[in-house]
Amino acid sequence: MSDSRFDKGLKLLNEIDGEAGQNVIDSLQDICPDLARYTIEFPFGDIYARTELDLKSREIATVAALTALGHCAPQLKVHLNAALNVGCSEQALKEVILQMAVYAGFPAALNGMFAFKEVLAERSA
Amino acid sequence: MSDSRFDKGLKLLNEIDGEAGQNVIDSLQDICPDLARYTIEFPFGDIYARTELDLKSREIATVAALTALGHCAPQLKVHLNAALNVGCSEQALKEVILQMAVYAGFPAALNGMFAFKEVLAERSA
Amino acid sequence: MSDSRFDKGLKLLNEIDGEAGQNVIDSLQDICPDLARYTIEFPFGDIYARTELDLKSREIATVAALTALGHCAPQLKVHLNAALNVGCSEQALKEVILQMAVYAGFPAALNGMFAFKEVLAERSA
Amino acid sequence: MSDSRFDKGLKLLNEIDGEAGQNVIDSLQDICPDLARYTIEFPFGDIYARTELDLKSREIATVAALTALGHCAPQLKVHLNAALNVGCSEQALKEVILQMAVYAGFPAALNGMFAFKEVLAERSA
Amino acid sequence: MSDSRFDKGLKLLNEIDGEAGQNVIDSLQDICPDLARYTIEFPFGDIYARTELDLKSREIATVAALTALGHCAPQLKVHLNAALNVGCSEQALKEVILQMAVYAGFPAALNGMFAFKEVLAERSA
Amino acid sequence: MSDSRFDKGLKLLNEIDGEAGQNVIDSLQDICPDLARYTIEFPFGDIYARTELDLKSREIATVAALTALGHCAPQLKVHLNAALNVGCSEQALKEVILQMAVYAGFPAALNGMFAFKEVLAERSA
């Protein structure tokens, strides 16, 4: 039922994204709490909760897509953190971003790498 | 030296993409052989040849990015084949495409899935 | 509960998109039935079922977005049909497509208009 | 004649966008006044002046497109203001942005909603 | 006055794009003649008619943009023809397409080059 | 050999982009020096070093593409500087940006023009 998608999604969101995910949810409460709810239910309760692909591979796919799309810097930073949280190595994430130069061009790869530089600086602070 | 990037890249392209990659290269010979050469040297000779990330993870990243970008159906099909060739399971690739509904919308995911349907049909033919 | 999202979504999909929507769902059954299920549950069961915006406005928004994005011709055609089905006039849809020349450029508007020409031809056939 | 397109467009721009539109025009005067003139003549003098679609529907289409494209935050904010100015309700605009999660992914919808949060805060200030 | 923008634009469209441009205009007559008119007036009557940049440079810019955007194959082919018509060399156009690998990725460059291959084949037929 | 691609590329990068290019390279040293190396080798050592197209035409193509793509403001600013450095006139660059209203919409052209305004202000400071 709907509650369990939300509960399962919220648990997973907090495990994966920690504070960053919760901040996104919190900042939607006064403007559109339903978008917060859907963001928990569908991406996390439905998709990330599927067991047919491990979370490290899921985050590699997400980092690749968000780097390539190029217009989602805040979400890319959330998922670079998430990727580190679920066990992707720094080196693996650099490789994924670097590889996007091939598929989306050097500007997308450069902006992705600078986003990762910010994430690493924030984590070590 | 330049020759070794090309040689290393061509070897890897043929291992990963098989006939599909070679077809792309061949079809460029009469229009712009330098683009064929660069396509071997930089993506394959430089990037895919790096050992810091396994080829299965690289193909997951590429399938994710090409599904999300949405305007590269021929290259997506080449890389869905490549992903199967390097050992990604059908189920894992379906998960990656499915997940792109979250980041690039349902149309991108649907078009990616239909491309995969074509790839699987061609391989079983 | 989950069943009701699916049931509500399927009912709405069939009302709005008719045969075209069902064809998309059917064509996913052998490759990824879960994507079919999610396509019914989230876009239709969750979003289009919301009563805070009328279906004509929803379809105007969707036609605008798919014309502007430019890489989703099959989905644009489905939604041009859907827009006509829920009562948008031909003239209104032409205006929306035309207006996209301002926001996404003339090629996107031209390709959107040619998609609409195909839709109208198919409906009158 | 050309003057009337400009005059008609400027009148409409000021009615719809108020100060925000005029600011864009003003800020182009020292760099490219012709772009300011075209921005008045074509989008407003030609397109928005057409009477075949009401202004509320036009702004819904524009908000949908700019949210989906994802790289036009300043223009999205101008048009969220414009949409409120021509009578779209806050709730309707939230629905349009929310719906873009389906067609352009959750990051685009989230960034659109945060832009709307800024617009509402600026208007209530 | 409006007529002169149209007349000037149509003359220029026919000079630059020849039959291909006229075909686009013709194919809009039964669906949205106003889009045909705007396509002549703004891009050609207003922009290409400006004398501050030569037509060869304008077509280089257009070929670059359409190759990079990736979702406008028909318009790219029209402008590759146009570029040849106004005196760009085959080699220069190949260089522009090739260069887009840097800014929009290899798939965009490959698809652009294959579009050019089709254009050259059609012209020599 | 590889060294000469790097050396040739670095020389060209410094000639074209001056400080701005070097800053990008420098800022990558602590996060991913290989991306810096590839950014010198492929775009500059391989592509811009080709003599089949003059540097002014190359920068026009790049400014057009980055304006149209819309998500690469930092790289657009670097290349607007580069374009001026290799001899493109201010007027020519304004024309290229303006023309992108036709192919990528007015928001992309407006954002490109405002980026150019910043570049000109920084250069005159």
Side-chain angles (χ1 to χ4, degrees):
Chain A
M1 53 181 191
S2 181
D3 278 355
S4 78
R5 293 172 67 236
F6 182 84
D7 291 347
K8 186 167 51 175
L10 184 60
K11 186 163 174 295
L12 201 48
L13 174 77
N14 286 332
E15 278 173 25
I16 296 176
D17 284 349
E19 208 175 311
Q22 191 60 49
N23 288 349
V24 171
I25 300 310
D26 290 348
S27 63
L28 288 166
Q29 291 312 315
D30 57 351
I31 176 91
C32 188
D34 283 353
L35 178 52
R37 179 167 61 81
Y38 293 133
T39 302
I40 290 167
E41 287 179 347
F42 177 60
F44 293 93
D46 283 347
I47 302 296
Y48 280 73
R50 293 169 66 89
T51 54
E52 287 85 349
L53 188 67
D54 61 290
L55 284 174
K56 285 168 65 172
S57 295
R58 288 204 182 276
E59 291 296 346
I60 282 173
T62 297
V63 166
L66 295 178
T67 301
L69 289 172
H71 60 250
C72 321
Q75 289 79 24
L76 176 57
K77 289 181 65 179
V78 168
H79 279 282
L80 285 165
N81 268 304
L84 293 168
N85 293 347
V86 300
C88 293
S89 71
E90 275 188 35
Q91 187 57 42
L93 295 173
K94 289 178 189 177
E95 291 296 319
V96 170
I97 295 170
L98 185 56
Q99 188 172 320
M100 292 304 107
V102 175
Y103 299 104
F106 278 78
L110 288 166
N111 291 334
M113 200 62 83
F114 290 130
F116 195 35
K117 188 172 172 172
E118 287 177 35
V119 165
L120 293 176
E122 287 159 11
R123 288 172 78 98
S124 73
Chain B
M1 53 179 190
S2 180
D3 278 353
S4 78
R5 293 171 68 234
F6 182 85
D7 291 347
K8 187 167 50 174
L10 184 59
K11 187 162 173 297
L12 201 47
L13 174 77
N14 286 332
E15 278 172 25
I16 297 177
D17 284 349
E19 211 175 308
Q22 190 60 48
N23 288 349
V24 171
I25 300 309
D26 290 348
S27 63
L28 288 165
Q29 291 312 315
D30 57 351
I31 176 89
C32 187
D34 283 352
L35 177 52
R37 180 166 61 80
Y38 294 132
T39 302
I40 291 167
E41 288 179 346
F42 177 60
F44 293 94
D46 283 346
I47 302 295
Y48 281 73
R50 294 169 64 90
T51 54
E52 287 85 350
L53 188 67
D54 60 290
L55 283 174
K56 285 168 66 172
S57 296
R58 288 202 183 278
E59 290 296 345
I60 282 174
T62 298
V63 166
L66 294 179
T67 300
L69 288 172
H71 60 251
C72 321
Q75 289 79 25
L76 176 57
K77 289 182 65 179
V78 168
H79 279 282
L80 285 164
N81 268 305
L84 293 168
N85 293 347
V86 300
C88 293
S89 71
E90 275 188 34
Q91 188 56 44
L93 295 173
K94 289 177 188 178
E95 292 296 319
V96 170
I97 295 170
L98 185 56
Q99 187 171 321
M100 291 306 106
V102 175
Y103 299 105
F106 278 78
L110 288 166
N111 291 334
M113 200 63 83
F114 290 129
F116 195 35
K117 188 171 171 172
E118 286 177 34
V119 164
L120 293 176
E122 288 159 11
R123 288 172 78 97
S124 73
Chain C
M1 56 180 188
S2 178
D3 278 355
S4 78
R5 292 171 67 234
F6 182 84
D7 292 347
K8 187 167 49 173
L10 185 59
K11 188 163 172 295
L12 200 49
L13 174 78
N14 286 333
E15 278 172 26
I16 296 176
D17 284 349
E19 208 175 310
Q22 190 61 48
N23 287 349
V24 172
I25 301 308
D26 289 349
S27 63
L28 287 166
Q29 292 311 316
D30 58 349
I31 176 92
C32 187
D34 283 352
L35 178 52
R37 180 166 61 80
Y38 293 133
T39 302
I40 290 167
E41 288 179 345
F42 177 61
F44 293 93
D46 283 346
I47 302 295
Y48 281 72
R50 294 170 65 90
T51 54
E52 287 86 349
L53 188 67
D54 61 289
L55 283 175
K56 285 168 67 173
S57 295
R58 288 203 183 277
E59 290 296 346
I60 282 174
T62 298
V63 166
L66 295 179
T67 301
L69 288 172
H71 61 250
C72 321
Q75 289 78 26
L76 176 58
K77 289 182 66 179
V78 168
H79 279 282
L80 285 164
N81 269 305
L84 293 168
N85 293 346
V86 300
C88 293
S89 70
E90 274 189 35
Q91 187 58 41
L93 295 173
K94 289 177 189 177
E95 292 295 320
V96 170
I97 295 169
L98 186 56
Q99 187 172 319
M100 292 305 106
V102 175
Y103 299 105
F106 278 78
L110 288 166
N111 291 334
M113 200 63 83
F114 290 130
F116 195 35
K117 188 173 172 171
E118 288 178 32
V119 164
L120 293 176
E122 288 159 9
R123 287 172 78 95
S124 71
Chain D
M1 55 178 188
S2 179
D3 278 354
S4 79
R5 294 171 66 233
F6 183 85
D7 291 347
K8 188 166 49 174
L10 185 59
K11 188 163 173 296
L12 201 49
L13 173 77
N14 286 332
E15 278 173 26
I16 297 176
D17 284 349
E19 208 174 310
Q22 191 61 48
N23 287 349
V24 171
I25 300 308
D26 289 348
S27 63
L28 287 166
Q29 292 312 315
D30 57 349
I31 176 91
C32 188
D34 283 352
L35 179 52
R37 180 166 61 81
Y38 293 133
T39 302
I40 291 167
E41 287 179 345
F42 177 61
F44 292 94
D46 283 345
I47 301 296
Y48 281 73
R50 294 169 65 89
T51 55
E52 287 87 349
L53 188 67
D54 61 288
L55 284 174
K56 285 167 66 172
S57 295
R58 287 204 185 277
E59 291 296 346
I60 282 174
T62 298
V63 166
L66 295 179
T67 301
L69 289 172
H71 61 250
C72 321
Q75 290 78 23
L76 176 57
K77 289 182 66 180
V78 168
H79 279 282
L80 285 164
N81 269 304
L84 293 168
N85 293 346
V86 300
C88 293
S89 70
E90 274 188 36
Q91 186 58 43
L93 295 174
K94 289 177 188 176
E95 292 296 319
V96 171
I97 295 169
L98 185 56
Q99 187 171 320
M100 291 306 106
V102 175
Y103 299 105
F106 278 78
L110 288 166
N111 292 333
M113 200 62 84
F114 290 130
F116 195 35
K117 188 173 172 171
E118 286 177 34
V119 164
L120 293 175
E122 288 159 11
R123 288 172 78 96
S124 72
Chain E
M1 54 180 193
S2 180
D3 279 356
S4 78
R5 293 171 67 233
F6 182 85
D7 292 347
K8 188 166 49 175
L10 185 59
K11 187 163 173 294
L12 201 48
L13 174 78
N14 286 332
E15 279 173 25
I16 296 176
D17 283 349
E19 208 175 309
Q22 191 60 50
N23 288 349
V24 172
I25 300 308
D26 290 348
S27 63
L28 288 166
Q29 291 312 316
D30 57 350
I31 176 90
C32 189
D34 284 351
L35 178 53
R37 180 166 60 81
Y38 293 133
T39 302
I40 290 167
E41 286 179 347
F42 177 60
F44 292 94
D46 283 346
I47 302 295
Y48 281 73
R50 294 169 64 90
T51 54
E52 288 85 350
L53 188 68
D54 61 289
L55 284 173
K56 286 168 64 173
S57 295
R58 288 203 184 277
E59 291 295 346
I60 282 173
T62 299
V63 166
L66 295 178
T67 301
L69 288 171
H71 61 250
C72 321
Q75 290 78 24
L76 176 57
K77 288 182 66 180
V78 168
H79 279 283
L80 285 163
N81 268 303
L84 292 168
N85 293 346
V86 300
C88 293
S89 70
E90 275 188 35
Q91 187 57 44
L93 295 173
K94 289 177 189 177
E95 292 296 318
V96 171
I97 295 169
L98 185 56
Q99 188 171 320
M100 291 306 106
V102 175
Y103 299 106
F106 278 78
L110 289 166
N111 291 333
M113 200 62 83
F114 290 130
F116 196 35
K117 188 172 173 174
E118 287 178 34
V119 164
L120 293 176
E122 288 160 11
R123 288 172 78 97
S124 73
Chain F
M1 53 180 190
S2 181
D3 278 354
S4 79
R5 292 171 68 234
F6 182 85
D7 292 346
K8 187 166 50 175
L10 184 59
K11 188 162 172 298
L12 201 48
L13 174 78
N14 286 332
E15 277 172 26
I16 297 177
D17 284 349
E19 211 174 309
Q22 190 61 49
N23 287 350
V24 172
I25 300 309
D26 289 349
S27 63
L28 288 165
Q29 292 312 316
D30 57 350
I31 176 90
C32 187
D34 283 352
L35 178 52
R37 180 166 61 81
Y38 293 133
T39 302
I40 290 168
E41 287 178 346
F42 177 60
F44 292 94
D46 283 346
I47 302 295
Y48 281 73
R50 294 170 65 89
T51 54
E52 288 86 349
L53 187 68
D54 60 290
L55 283 175
K56 285 168 65 171
S57 296
R58 288 202 183 278
E59 290 297 345
I60 282 174
T62 298
V63 166
L66 294 179
T67 301
L69 289 172
H71 60 250
C72 321
Q75 289 78 25
L76 176 57
K77 289 182 66 179
V78 168
H79 279 283
L80 285 164
N81 269 305
L84 293 168
N85 293 347
V86 300
C88 293
S89 70
E90 275 188 35
Q91 187 58 44
L93 295 173
K94 289 177 188 176
E95 292 296 319
V96 170
I97 295 169
L98 185 56
Q99 186 171 320
M100 292 305 107
V102 175
Y103 299 105
F106 278 78
L110 288 166
N111 291 333
M113 200 63 82
F114 290 130
F116 195 34
K117 189 172 171 171
E118 287 178 32
V119 164
L120 293 176
E122 288 160 10
R123 287 172 78 96
S124 72

